Amino acid sequence: MSKQTLGLSDRLYDYFLSVSLRESEILRQLRTETAAHPFSQMQIAPEQGQFMAFLVQLMGATKTLEIGVFTGYSSLAIAMALPPHGKVIACDLSEEYTTIAQRYWQKAGVADKIDLQIAPALHTLDDLIAEGHSDTFDFAFIDADKVNYDNYYERSLQLLRPGGLIAIDNVLWGARVAQPDIQNETTQAIRALNAKLHHDDRITLSMVPIADGLTLARKNPQE
């Protein structure tokens, strides 16, 4: 995992942020608090949060899905980019981590936009499908346990409207995906999904080397 974009020297990364990052004070506070957390490496990079918020605004998204919340940086960035009637369905297992998230959602005035579901994400996604939400979401962000990435992708694709966008985090996995001697279950799961999406004609694909790698998959309209 990476809290900044891979492959940039510290000097170039600092310059990159100095001329591009427009991080609000509330996001900066959350990022600073999370930096002291024992699992701070799970925090997305600020430039990635800004990029995803930009995409959500560009699409005119109103109904979004997040799989993996942690302390809430990405959900906060996206909720702040949504219109007043916008909604984030946020899936996580940890009440401990998401307590931090909820505190910042409240401070930012976007708590009413975020529907936090403390449950296994697959259960929440299956419930949404069963309740008739297929083909209704504009945007989904996947950043949870990597072994289930393919399951999250398939359900998110079903929930997404044609033309909607899935963003998948950590697809470069600290460069481990390109090291054939690394064969642990997590790395193999990411490699397998990357290979699958490369040939998935249900989507239009772009893998962006921002932060730890972010795959963008646009759901193609059915012919």
Side-chain angles (χ1 to χ4, degrees), residues 173-188 191:
W173 199 229
R176 292 186 288 276
V177 289
Q179 299 175 39
D181 57 314
I182 298 178
Q183 293 294 331
N184 60 70
E185 185 180 20
T186 297
T187 304
Q188 289 190 62
R191 285 194 193 111

mmCIF file of all heavy atoms in Angstrom, residues 173-188 191:
data_model
loop_
_atom_site.group_PDB
_atom_site.id
_atom_site.type_symbol
_atom_site.label_atom_id
_atom_site.label_comp_id
_atom_site.label_asym_id
_atom_site.label_seq_id
_atom_site.Cartn_x
_atom_site.Cartn_y
_atom_site.Cartn_z
ATOM 1 N N TRP A 173 -0.175 -2.542 -6.045
ATOM 2 C CA TRP A 173 0.191 -3.260 -4.826
ATOM 3 C C TRP A 173 1.666 -3.082 -4.470
ATOM 4 O O TRP A 173 2.397 -4.045 -4.243
ATOM 5 C CB TRP A 173 -0.183 -4.727 -4.971
ATOM 6 C CG TRP A 173 -0.304 -5.509 -3.702
ATOM 7 C CD1 TRP A 173 0.273 -6.731 -3.435
ATOM 8 C CD2 TRP A 173 -1.048 -5.171 -2.517
ATOM 9 N NE1 TRP A 173 -0.066 -7.165 -2.176
ATOM 10 C CE2 TRP A 173 -0.882 -6.210 -1.581
ATOM 11 C CE3 TRP A 173 -1.837 -4.074 -2.155
ATOM 12 C CZ2 TRP A 173 -1.460 -6.204 -0.312
ATOM 13 C CZ3 TRP A 173 -2.434 -4.064 -0.903
ATOM 14 C CH2 TRP A 173 -2.241 -5.112 0.003
ATOM 15 N N GLY A 174 2.094 -1.808 -4.443
ATOM 16 C CA GLY A 174 3.476 -1.531 -4.059
ATOM 17 C C GLY A 174 4.499 -2.158 -4.970
ATOM 18 O O GLY A 174 5.616 -2.486 -4.540
ATOM 19 N N ALA A 175 4.142 -2.361 -6.218
ATOM 20 C CA ALA A 175 4.973 -2.990 -7.261
ATOM 21 C C ALA A 175 5.072 -4.504 -7.109
ATOM 22 O O ALA A 175 5.713 -5.176 -7.927
ATOM 23 C CB ALA A 175 6.370 -2.379 -7.320
ATOM 24 N N ARG A 176 4.424 -5.090 -6.100
ATOM 25 C CA ARG A 176 4.535 -6.539 -5.892
ATOM 26 C C ARG A 176 3.870 -7.340 -7.008
ATOM 27 O O ARG A 176 4.245 -8.489 -7.254
ATOM 28 C CB ARG A 176 3.940 -6.918 -4.526
ATOM 29 C CG ARG A 176 4.755 -6.396 -3.355
ATOM 30 C CD ARG A 176 4.241 -6.893 -2.023
ATOM 31 N NE ARG A 176 2.999 -6.277 -1.628
ATOM 32 C CZ ARG A 176 2.892 -5.089 -1.010
ATOM 33 N NH1 ARG A 176 3.977 -4.382 -0.746
ATOM 34 N NH2 ARG A 176 1.712 -4.609 -0.663
ATOM 35 N N VAL A 177 2.873 -6.752 -7.685
ATOM 36 C CA VAL A 177 2.209 -7.473 -8.784
ATOM 37 C C VAL A 177 3.172 -7.796 -9.913
ATOM 38 O O VAL A 177 2.939 -8.733 -10.679
ATOM 39 C CB VAL A 177 1.007 -6.672 -9.332
ATOM 40 C CG1 VAL A 177 -0.150 -6.664 -8.347
ATOM 41 C CG2 VAL A 177 1.412 -5.255 -9.712
ATOM 42 N N ALA A 178 4.261 -7.037 -10.022
ATOM 43 C CA ALA A 178 5.235 -7.250 -11.100
ATOM 44 C C ALA A 178 6.438 -8.073 -10.649
ATOM 45 O O ALA A 178 7.412 -8.203 -11.402
ATOM 46 C CB ALA A 178 5.703 -5.896 -11.643
ATOM 47 N N GLN A 179 6.367 -8.641 -9.455
ATOM 48 C CA GLN A 179 7.475 -9.444 -8.933
ATOM 49 C C GLN A 179 7.034 -10.901 -8.873
ATOM 50 O O GLN A 179 6.302 -11.311 -7.973
ATOM 51 C CB GLN A 179 7.873 -8.937 -7.547
ATOM 52 C CG GLN A 179 8.360 -7.486 -7.557
ATOM 53 C CD GLN A 179 8.629 -6.944 -6.166
ATOM 54 O OE1 GLN A 179 9.150 -7.659 -5.309
ATOM 55 N NE2 GLN A 179 8.283 -5.692 -5.940
ATOM 56 N N PRO A 180 7.449 -11.717 -9.843
ATOM 57 C CA PRO A 180 6.934 -13.088 -9.953
ATOM 58 C C PRO A 180 7.265 -13.979 -8.770
ATOM 59 O O PRO A 180 6.608 -15.006 -8.564
ATOM 60 C CB PRO A 180 7.592 -13.614 -11.238
ATOM 61 C CG PRO A 180 8.744 -12.707 -11.492
ATOM 62 C CD PRO A 180 8.375 -11.377 -10.935
ATOM 63 N N ASP A 181 8.269 -13.620 -7.968
ATOM 64 C CA ASP A 181 8.607 -14.442 -6.810
ATOM 65 C C ASP A 181 7.626 -14.249 -5.657
ATOM 66 O O ASP A 181 7.628 -15.026 -4.705
ATOM 67 C CB ASP A 181 10.031 -14.132 -6.337
ATOM 68 C CG ASP A 181 10.235 -12.662 -5.997
ATOM 69 O OD1 ASP A 181 9.798 -11.812 -6.802
ATOM 70 O OD2 ASP A 181 10.802 -12.360 -4.941
ATOM 71 N N ILE A 182 6.768 -13.226 -5.736
ATOM 72 C CA ILE A 182 5.777 -12.984 -4.688
ATOM 73 C C ILE A 182 4.482 -13.678 -5.093
ATOM 74 O O ILE A 182 3.851 -13.304 -6.091
ATOM 75 C CB ILE A 182 5.543 -11.473 -4.468
ATOM 76 C CG1 ILE A 182 6.844 -10.806 -4.007
ATOM 77 C CG2 ILE A 182 4.431 -11.240 -3.453
ATOM 78 C CD1 ILE A 182 6.743 -9.307 -3.807
ATOM 79 N N GLN A 183 4.102 -14.684 -4.347
ATOM 80 C CA GLN A 183 2.957 -15.517 -4.728
ATOM 81 C C GLN A 183 1.951 -15.672 -3.578
ATOM 82 O O GLN A 183 1.229 -16.660 -3.530
ATOM 83 C CB GLN A 183 3.452 -16.904 -5.183
ATOM 84 C CG GLN A 183 4.255 -16.878 -6.474
ATOM 85 C CD GLN A 183 3.419 -16.465 -7.678
ATOM 86 O OE1 GLN A 183 2.210 -16.689 -7.726
ATOM 87 N NE2 GLN A 183 4.066 -15.854 -8.665
ATOM 88 N N ASN A 184 1.891 -14.716 -2.669
ATOM 89 C CA ASN A 184 0.911 -14.829 -1.600
ATOM 90 C C ASN A 184 -0.502 -14.619 -2.162
ATOM 91 O O ASN A 184 -0.686 -14.117 -3.277
ATOM 92 C CB ASN A 184 1.206 -13.837 -0.465
ATOM 93 C CG ASN A 184 1.176 -12.393 -0.943
ATOM 94 O OD1 ASN A 184 0.131 -11.864 -1.268
ATOM 95 N ND2 ASN A 184 2.350 -11.764 -0.972
ATOM 96 N N GLU A 185 -1.496 -15.008 -1.382
ATOM 97 C CA GLU A 185 -2.884 -15.020 -1.847
ATOM 98 C C GLU A 185 -3.373 -13.637 -2.257
ATOM 99 O O GLU A 185 -4.056 -13.486 -3.276
ATOM 100 C CB GLU A 185 -3.781 -15.588 -0.748
ATOM 101 C CG GLU A 185 -5.240 -15.764 -1.159
ATOM 102 C CD GLU A 185 -6.103 -16.324 -0.053
ATOM 103 O OE1 GLU A 185 -5.708 -16.238 1.128
ATOM 104 O OE2 GLU A 185 -7.188 -16.853 -0.358
ATOM 105 N N THR A 186 -2.995 -12.618 -1.490
ATOM 106 C CA THR A 186 -3.462 -11.261 -1.783
ATOM 107 C C THR A 186 -2.900 -10.768 -3.110
ATOM 108 O O THR A 186 -3.634 -10.240 -3.960
ATOM 109 C CB THR A 186 -3.052 -10.311 -0.643
ATOM 110 O OG1 THR A 186 -3.691 -10.729 0.569
ATOM 111 C CG2 THR A 186 -3.478 -8.883 -0.956
ATOM 112 N N THR A 187 -1.599 -10.930 -3.297
ATOM 113 C CA THR A 187 -0.965 -10.473 -4.537
ATOM 114 C C THR A 187 -1.525 -11.234 -5.736
ATOM 115 O O THR A 187 -1.802 -10.626 -6.793
ATOM 116 C CB THR A 187 0.555 -10.642 -4.454
ATOM 117 O OG1 THR A 187 1.044 -9.948 -3.306
ATOM 118 C CG2 THR A 187 1.236 -10.095 -5.700
ATOM 119 N N GLN A 188 -1.722 -12.527 -5.599
ATOM 120 C CA GLN A 188 -2.286 -13.301 -6.694
ATOM 121 C C GLN A 188 -3.713 -12.854 -7.022
ATOM 122 O O GLN A 188 -4.108 -12.828 -8.195
ATOM 123 C CB GLN A 188 -2.270 -14.787 -6.331
ATOM 124 C CG GLN A 188 -0.889 -15.406 -6.308
ATOM 125 C CD GLN A 188 -0.936 -16.919 -6.195
ATOM 126 O OE1 GLN A 188 -1.468 -17.602 -7.068
ATOM 127 N NE2 GLN A 188 -0.399 -17.452 -5.107
ATOM 128 N N ARG A 191 -3.411 -9.633 -9.061
ATOM 129 C CA ARG A 191 -2.958 -9.967 -10.418
ATOM 130 C C ARG A 191 -4.089 -10.573 -11.251
ATOM 131 O O ARG A 191 -4.270 -10.226 -12.417
ATOM 132 C CB ARG A 191 -1.807 -10.975 -10.358
ATOM 133 C CG ARG A 191 -0.473 -10.427 -9.946
ATOM 134 C CD ARG A 191 0.613 -11.443 -10.278
ATOM 135 N NE ARG A 191 1.866 -11.110 -9.638
ATOM 136 C CZ ARG A 191 2.410 -11.811 -8.641
ATOM 137 N NH1 ARG A 191 1.801 -12.893 -8.195
ATOM 138 N NH2 ARG A 191 3.563 -11.431 -8.107
#
